[in-house]
Amino acid sequence: MKSDMNSLKILHAGALRKPIKECIHLLWEKYPDLKVDLEYAGSRACAKAVAEGKVVDVIALADYKVFNDILIPKFVDTSFVFATDQMVLAFDEFAPGSREINAQNWMDVLLNNNVRYARSDHRLDPCGYRTLILWQLAEKYYGRPGLYEQLENNWSNLYPKSIDLAVALYEGKIDYGFVYLSVTIQMNLDYVQFPSEINLSDPRLAGYYAQAKVTIEGNYPGLEAEITGAPIEFAVAIPKNSNQKELAQEFIDILTGPAGEKILEKNGLIPC
Amino acid sequence: MRIVLRFLLIIFLYYIIVLVSIQEVTRFQMTENKTPSAAGITLDKMIQPTLLLLIYAKPSHGYELIQNFNALDPTEIVEPATIYRNLRRMESEGYIISKWKTSEAGPARRQYEITQQGVAALEEAVVKLEHQKKQIEEFINTFQDLKEGRRASEK
């Protein structure tokens, strides 16, 4: 163990805020005086910050592919997949159409002029590009040509990360929002569950999900990167420039061990 | 003739009752009374035996196991969450162990391997399944015999 126990720096996807905090409490049982710096942002924003020189000891993101795209091999050796999730449509119980919305008619409810629905920013947050992927898959699954464009042209709000969207929903600033099931469980929001063909939860449908593609700005100005639809997988890693590698590993051992699994499950994630 | 048919019907009903009782007792033993070797995976929906068999064939991670999982009932979809939960349960009970395995292009995932206890559980499951298979065959044969006997008596 390194002698400098003053600070463990953790940077994580907003959607992981609650389980990460609960795992820190377990670490504090062993190191009560440990100082923890906790920061969160959209996963792509987190990875870009590390690539631009931010020093952290643990980085936990909502998509392992963000590690591959931005951080591996220069800033991180390997990421570890520790949880899965699914996309859902969360809503405010007083939203227009909230009493009749279901897995078959949700798009018609959203495209009503009185409804405010939101997604997170696909350039910063995996939940954002997963929403766009879900809309593309929904167009095929429901046999509704032009649905993707209709949904993309009519959203009312765009948030940097899914947790901001969930908070806006909780506060009644928007009516509907595309988020992870775990976030709706943590915030006790109502939600519509999508069929597995579009909710990005099932590895058996990986080939089907891969039909959808989203283009985002790449790692260098002027370059574009293509994101392909895939099952949702959260991953964690220790950056090469961490000053607290052993302590960071202890934290990851908690997150991925039996105690962490209970915390993840309680917060609506599926430990894997 | 009617007396014979009634007699056969009573035997048939009695057989069904005995069969259901045996199934219930077997299910209870499988879930509640683990043997001293701890070989006691649940045969419910064949989820645990199927996972153990896949891992016995090749150490695999959860993602791969879900892709290769064929449900006993093809109309039933076994959710990924159910598979991951069963894997964790079997690991905590000692039938499998996991370690992080990094693939060439992808991330590290938890890879599962079967333990000696897991192999014993698989063997015990096979014995129980053989017994159930025999029961089902006897059930089908009895029914077919009764059906043919009924047809013959109606002619």
Side-chain angles (χ1 to χ4, degrees):
Chain A
M1 178 62 55
K2 278 185 183 276
S3 57
D4 180 12
M5 290 288 293
N6 289 332
S7 175
L8 177 72
K9 297 175 184 65
I10 300 175
L11 180 61
H12 65 85
L16 292 168
R17 185 113 188 114
K18 200 159 172 274
I20 293 274
K21 274 182 168 181
E22 290 179 28
C23 287
I24 289 167
H25 279 276
L26 293 182
L27 194 62
W28 274 337
E29 287 176 10
K30 189 172 176 186
Y31 306 110
D33 299 326
L34 177 69
K35 188 181 167 217
V36 178
D37 294 332
L38 202 57
E39 277 187 71
Y40 66 104
S43 290
R44 288 191 71 84
C46 289
K48 280 180 181 169
V50 171
E52 285 163 7
K54 187 175 182 65
V55 177
V56 297
D57 303 304
V58 175
I59 176 166
L61 305 179
D63 188 351
Y64 82 84
K65 287 183 179 173
V66 177
F67 283 106
N68 293 16
D69 289 349
I70 301 174
L71 296 175
I72 294 175
K74 199 171 174 187
F75 306 99
V76 165
D77 283 327
T78 313
S79 70
F80 298 84
V81 170
F82 67 94
T84 70
D85 207 331
Q86 62 178 274
M87 293 295 295
V88 296
L89 178 60
F91 60 91
D92 182 276
E93 62 174 318
F94 298 106
S98 65
R99 292 196 173 183
E100 59 267 11
I101 195 163
N102 59 40
Q104 295 306 314
N105 68 7
W106 58 268
M107 67 295 282
D108 298 317
V109 172
L110 295 189
L111 294 171
N112 184 311
N113 286 338
N114 302 325
V115 169
R116 298 163 301 168
Y117 68 92
R119 67 170 176 86
S120 57
D121 191 334
H122 60 292
R123 295 162 298 184
L124 305 172
D125 182 28
C127 194
Y129 57 71
R130 283 171 176 149
T131 302
L132 297 178
I133 286 166
L134 186 154
W135 291 351
Q136 286 180 31
L137 294 171
E139 184 172 314
K140 286 180 200 296
Y141 179 77
Y142 295 100
R144 300 266 302 246
L147 179 62
Y148 170 80
E149 212 161 295
Q150 280 180 292
L151 289 166
E152 176 59 348
N153 290 338
N154 285 286
W155 49 259
S156 59
N157 301 63
L158 188 70
Y159 292 94
K161 49 193 181 296
S162 59
I163 196 79
D164 297 338
L165 189 161
V167 170
L169 203 52
Y170 190 78
E171 292 172 344
K173 289 179 180 165
I174 52 170
D175 300 313
Y176 294 88
F178 290 82
V179 288
Y180 299 120
L181 174 61
S182 60
V183 172
T184 66
I185 289 172
Q186 288 163 33
M187 298 189 69
N188 201 22
L189 295 166
D190 290 324
Y191 62 91
V192 174
Q193 202 159 4
F194 297 116
S196 53
E197 283 82 356
I198 67 171
N199 72 6
L200 306 179
S201 70
D202 195 334
R204 284 166 292 203
L205 295 165
Y208 186 83
Y209 300 154
Q211 296 175 88
K213 291 178 188 346
V214 171
T215 303
I216 57 170
E217 69 180 55
N219 302 331
Y220 301 99
L223 278 184
E224 289 186 333
E226 192 175 66
I227 310 271
T228 304
I232 295 168
E233 291 183 290
F234 288 70
V236 64
I238 301 172
K240 287 180 180 176
N241 63 359
S242 162
N243 294 319
Q244 295 273 19
K245 285 196 172 70
E246 287 176 37
L247 196 55
Q249 189 58 53
E250 281 197 56
F251 175 78
I252 291 178
D253 289 345
I254 290 173
L255 179 69
T256 61
E261 285 172 356
K262 280 184 192 158
I263 288 172
L264 293 169
E265 185 101 37
K266 192 181 79 183
N267 284 290
L269 287 143
I270 309 297
C272 64
Chain B
M1 192 61 202
R2 279 188 178 175
I3 293 169
V4 174
L5 277 173
R6 271 186 195 168
F7 179 68
L8 284 172
L9 186 65
I10 289 165
I11 290 179
F12 179 64
L13 287 172
Y14 177 74
Y15 183 79
I16 295 289
I17 290 164
V18 169
L19 195 65
V20 169
S21 307
I22 289 170
Q23 293 272 19
E24 285 303 312
V25 168
T26 311
R27 190 179 302 158
F28 175 76
Q29 285 172 340
M30 283 184 297
T31 55
E32 300 295 326
N33 295 343
K34 291 183 177 175
T35 58
S37 65
I41 54 165
T42 171
L43 301 191
D44 183 36
K45 295 181 183 175
M46 286 292 285
I47 295 173
Q48 293 193 358
T50 304
L51 289 171
L52 266 190
L53 189 65
L54 287 170
I55 297 165
Y56 182 62
K58 184 170 86 79
S60 310
H61 47 72
Y63 188 101
E64 206 175 2
L65 289 164
I66 293 167
Q67 289 184 318
N68 294 329
F69 190 91
N70 284 319
L72 183 64
D73 177 357
T75 62
E76 185 183 30
I77 295 166
V78 180
E79 295 292 331
T82 306
I83 292 179
Y84 283 125
R85 281 188 197 113
N86 274 283
L87 287 170
R88 291 205 308 280
R89 193 174 307 148
M90 287 199 295
E91 183 170 25
S92 71
E93 291 174 355
Y95 302 118
I96 51 177
I97 51 165
S98 71
K99 56 187 174 192
W100 292 103
K101 187 89 176 174
T102 312
S103 58
E104 266 183 39
R109 289 192 173 92
R110 209 184 281 277
Q111 180 171 280
Y112 293 94
E113 286 178 25
I114 197 162
T115 61
Q116 285 298 323
Q117 192 181 321
V119 175
L122 204 48
E123 280 170 357
E124 186 172 306
V126 168
V127 171
K128 287 171 181 168
L129 289 169
E130 287 282 1
H131 179 67
Q132 288 186 356
K133 182 181 156 195
K134 204 176 152 198
Q135 282 181 309
I136 292 166
E137 281 172 355
E138 279 174 13
F139 175 88
I140 293 167
N141 292 338
T142 305
F143 177 71
Q144 297 294 2
D145 291 348
L146 286 168
K147 203 170 144 187
E148 280 171 25
R150 183 177 280 199
R151 271 192 199 146
S153 66
E154 283 169 0
K155 279 181 185 173

